[in-house]
């Protein structure tokens, strides 16, 4: 039995991501393909680099895409910057800190972690103290960890890293586009993201940007692969232990030499380009403000519905809120009712929060008033089914009040 | 200056790949997204696995996609199957053999290669002799190497590997869908591909299939990542040195446990599903026959135009032919004229063939009579400009004769 053409049900994706793509991103995905070295293709790659320089707020030449989901970008950054035995410091404030530590360990780093309870972020002094103690070559720090909804302040971290000769890498998958991020002003050496959160695209492409200092480290490990290597090409013995994630090769492919590496994922390139274009057309700050408004409206709404929120709200990302599942409400069944009866997806949780909180996102295309209000209206209906007493229309009114203010 | 929406020029892609996607694959790419654990998403993943079992001709449970381009699939297979220090045998008959050796080396294997001149394949006895001498744990063998257009016979290799206790992996990126391939009947332990050749999709998703024996090796190195690890989960110390390419984790994500790993690249999943669907609707053998016909027609056409072909034609892939650039014709300029004046792309070459041959592909959606004839007609025009004497219409007639026969 061969199934029919793909025909997804209508869904309003209000979880922690992936979320719905902007309509124009879906259109871009379906654009016809061109050859790998077609002048249109290389021009599109150059344009995409320039668009992402604006999104990242950087002048970094090495601003590209890694062809894979957001964790492909993370692994490319880590494996290219970490030499086996290097000390890496990972402050962990949620699941994705554990992921950075895990990837660093697989890259054969000597990994040091510090932790705060889920729902909190690190005071910058604690990070500095750990840097002084551990003396890492690399600090790997998540900006926004969807598992806890927390946003780690990064603006003072770069200067500390620079003062101690530490490379500063941040995973901005969950935060970029919906929260402030300034690669150059904040002194980032490397940052990676994914399209499926505030950038409003499908998972499968990982924007990355690298400072000159990061590029130097990567270049010192450079190697051109056998089969296309020519006289005089670099051939370091201290090479990166991955071919696919060797950022030196990826830079040679995106750069003027255009050395063949992977075959750039054309459709995902189109999508990534359109995500950045949508953001820059609306205005980078305006998009962050739209996320802030939607996040505030959702927060006001869930509070009016009587939900208890999770974590330190003064450090919450704009684009996701975690709420405790009310007593007596079966979490997965209620989420199922949201999906089945209303076509609305909200998120479950990982680790210590599993079964305890729901995560509700307002990001990318769905950082919109109507997405917020319909989600709140449906939530009210579902809570009522389980006997939770909620003021009728209270959630929606509170959200609209935020938009009216 | 923010550029306009993506608007690619019309191109007939007749190079060695990437090629044009089937129209229905472009449509599938633009389908709306759903959540990662939406019942529609997991059902679509299951359907896609089943479709690819038919494409691979396998009953392998572990039949999935790796989220990245074809070389992501190669690296996932290699890094998951190879323990540091393992002996790996790579017969090299073109650029992509060098790539397998390079990836194995980065995975810290002890790599042994054997080589034949470009344009030839290995007699199976030579592979067996090398297996006996090297005693590898893994044989890594390209099926079709687009750099030379050669198709390595694989049908007898699996039995030899099994007799010597060697895992048998093949990279079928360039060949799958347009040339016979029988994962189970030929005794493959692992095989990987990409969508952008005979499967008729965009680059960016890598189908993979693994035998029970390969799964055992991978499971023996299994580890569930920190952050989602529970009591009793495996935690091998001999773990794979990549998180993204750890096929044990990818199996746990595609399998019934649905353990969160990467976020599956939804749009590329839709595309991969549609590629397999198109092939199975037309019939796997019928699609291979269509590639064989188009390849024969193109071969007859280029010969009638006076081109000298490259390599052992008795072992040529159906879907690509290499022709020597005639004396007096500036190769890149003539290819440029094909693109600029006719919108048709043909391919250049790598390594020892660079500047010496063009590669002309007929694959996926473009394994069609009209694509063959228009390419030949344009080639005739361009050759004439450079003073090459060709019989008028000779290339097209010869191709049509193949279709008429």
């Amino acid at each position: 039995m061969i199934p029919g053409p793909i025909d997804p049900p209508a869904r309003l994706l209000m979880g922690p991501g992936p979320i719905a793509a902007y309509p124009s991103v879906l259109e871009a995905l379906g654009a016809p393909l061109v050859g790998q070295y077609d002048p249109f293709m290389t021009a599109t790659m150059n344009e995409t680099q320039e668009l992402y320089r604006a999104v990242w707020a950087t002048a970094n030449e090495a601003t590209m895409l890694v062809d894979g989901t957001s964790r492909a970008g993370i692994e490319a950054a880590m494996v290219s910057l970490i030499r086996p035995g290097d000390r890496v410091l990972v402050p962990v404030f949620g699941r994705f800190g554990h992921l950075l530590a895990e990837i660093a360990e697989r890259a054969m780093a000597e990994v040091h972690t510090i932790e705060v309870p889920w729902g909190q972020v690190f005071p910058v002094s604690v990070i500095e103290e750990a840097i002084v103690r551990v003396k890492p070559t690399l600090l790997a720090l998540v900006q926004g960890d969807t598992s806890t909804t927390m946003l780690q302040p990064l603006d003072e971290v770069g200067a500390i890293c620079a003062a101690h000769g530490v490379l500063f890498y941040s995973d901005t998958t969950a935060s970029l586009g919906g929260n402030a991020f300034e690669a150059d002003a904040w002194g980032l050496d490397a940052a990676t993201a994914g399209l499926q959160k505030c950038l409003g695209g499908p998972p499968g492409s990982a924007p990355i940007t690298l400072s000159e200092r990061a590029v130097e480290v990567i270049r010192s490990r450079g190697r051109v692969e056998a089969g296309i290597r020519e006289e005089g090409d670099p051939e370091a013995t201290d090479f990166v232990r991955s071919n696919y994630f060797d950022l030196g090769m990826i830079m040679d492919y995106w750069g003027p030499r255009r050395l063949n590496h992977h075959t750039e994922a054309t459709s995902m390139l189109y999508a990534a380009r359109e995500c950045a274009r949508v953001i820059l057309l609306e205005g980078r700050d305006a998009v962050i403000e739209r996320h802030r408004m939607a996040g505030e409206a959702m927060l006001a709404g869930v509070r009016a519905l009587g939900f208890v929120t999770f974590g330190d709200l003064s450090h919450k990302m704009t684009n996701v809120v975690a709420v405790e599942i009310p007593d007596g409400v079966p979490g997965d069944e209620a989420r199922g009712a949201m999906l089945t009866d209303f076509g609305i997806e909200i998120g479950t949780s990982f680790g210590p929060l599993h079964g305890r909180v729901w995560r509700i996102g307002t990001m990318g295309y769905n950082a919109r008033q109507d997405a917020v209000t319909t989600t709140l209206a449906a939530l009210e209906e579902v809570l009522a089914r389980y006997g939770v007493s909620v003021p009728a229309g209270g959630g929606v009114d509170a959200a609209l009040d935020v938009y009216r203010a």
Side-chain angles (χ1 to χ4, degrees), chain A residues 109-342:
Chain A
E110 180 188 315
V111 182
H112 297 254
T113 57
I114 52 176
E115 296 197 37
V116 286
W118 285 35
Q120 297 179 26
V121 298
F122 289 90
V124 96
S125 61
V126 171
I127 294 174
E128 179 162 27
E129 185 277 324
I131 285 176
V132 169
R133 180 170 46 80
V134 172
K135 297 185 182 38
T137 58
L138 177 75
L139 173 74
L141 183 54
V142 172
Q143 183 185 25
D145 199 315
T146 36
S147 68
T148 69
T149 76
M150 292 297 103
L151 185 79
Q152 172 65 45
L154 302 181
D155 53 329
E156 296 173 32
V157 177
I160 293 167
C161 286
H164 295 280
V166 175
L167 287 167
F168 177 25
Y169 160 65
S170 184
D171 166 24
T172 74
T173 302
S175 51
L176 187 71
N179 303 268
F181 184 84
E182 303 287 332
D184 287 0
W186 294 356
L188 270 293
D189 289 302
T192 62
L195 303 186
Q196 75 275 17
K197 310 272 188 180
C198 303
L199 296 179
S205 179
I208 186 170
T209 190
L210 302 164
S211 75
E212 278 304 313
R213 205 153 62 109
V215 169
E216 264 173 44
V217 172
I218 292 163
R219 286 293 182 207
S220 73
R221 310 177 72 193
R223 201 164 94 133
V224 171
E225 76 187 38
I228 60 169
R229 186 181 298 149
E230 291 178 5
E231 205 76 30
D233 276 338
E235 212 182 324
T237 50
D238 167 35
F239 52 83
V240 174
R241 292 295 174 189
S242 166
N243 170 293
Y244 194 72
F245 291 137
D246 184 339
L247 290 173
M249 289 177 156
I250 295 175
M251 288 189 290
D252 283 339
Y253 179 57
W254 284 80
R257 206 172 162 197
R258 295 274 174 218
L259 271 188
N260 189 247
H261 180 246
H262 65 284
T263 300
E264 183 58 19
T266 321
S267 305
M268 289 304 301
L269 171 73
Y270 293 169
R273 176 186 181 278
E274 184 61 20
C275 288
R277 217 178 67 83
V278 165
I279 285 174
L280 298 175
L281 279 174
E282 183 175 345
R284 203 171 66 106
D285 294 344
V287 173
I288 292 170
E289 175 60 18
R290 175 160 59 77
H291 279 82
R292 196 195 58 74
M293 282 284 283
E296 270 201 20
M298 185 62 85
L299 177 62
V302 294
R303 281 174 148 172
L305 287 176
F307 281 108
V308 176
T309 58
F310 171 80
D312 175 1
L313 292 184
S314 66
H315 288 108
K316 194 181 81 58
M317 282 189 279
T318 58
N319 49 301
V320 60
V321 63
V323 296
E324 292 186 13
I325 302 167
D327 284 342
V329 175
D332 285 346
E333 186 184 304
R335 280 198 315 118
M338 288 288 290
L339 193 71
T340 308
D341 296 347
F342 300 92

Side-chain angles (χ1 to χ4, degrees), chain A residues 83-114:
Chain A
R83 289 181 164 88
D86 275 0
R87 272 192 300 278
V88 173
L89 175 64
V90 186
V92 175
F93 61 99
R95 179 189 164 197
F96 292 98
H98 286 299
L99 178 64
L100 299 193
E102 137 98 22
I103 293 175
E105 186 191 357
R106 292 197 188 222
M108 297 196 275
E110 180 188 315
V111 182
H112 297 254
T113 57
I114 52 176

Side-chain angles (χ1 to χ4, degrees), chain A residues 20-34:
Chain A
Y22 288 105
S24 69
V25 172
L26 293 182
E27 272 170 49
L29 275 162
L33 306 182
V34 299

